[in-house]
Amino acid sequence: MADRNAETARLMKVTEAIVAELAHQGAAEAVADLGFNPLELARVVIRAADGYVVPFRKR
């Protein structure tokens, strides 16, 4: 349970940082009108910070 709470807290902290930066740049309202979901971006940021690498295959 503690791990789940820690993950949720981390996700919310990153999401808040994304929203704050968008607001700082004056773009928060514009991207919200486009249906931007900061939670999805936060999840990707956290995965990248944890070192998750998406392998690319040659075709």
Side-chain angles (χ1 to χ4, degrees):
M1 184 75 163
D3 287 340
R4 185 78 168 151
N5 289 340
E7 288 175 21
T8 301
R10 186 178 184 198
L11 179 63
M12 293 311 299
K13 188 172 186 175
V14 172
T15 302
E16 288 173 1
I18 291 168
V19 171
E21 182 59 29
L22 289 172
H24 174 73
Q25 294 180 15
E29 188 174 327
V31 294
D33 290 343
L34 295 171
F36 174 72
N37 183 358
L39 283 174
E40 291 302 317
L41 180 58
R43 285 186 182 103
V44 172
V45 168
I46 289 171
R47 289 178 73 189
D50 288 345
Y52 179 79
V53 178
V54 177
F56 290 100
R57 292 187 228 166
K58 288 186 177 183
R59 291 184 184 202

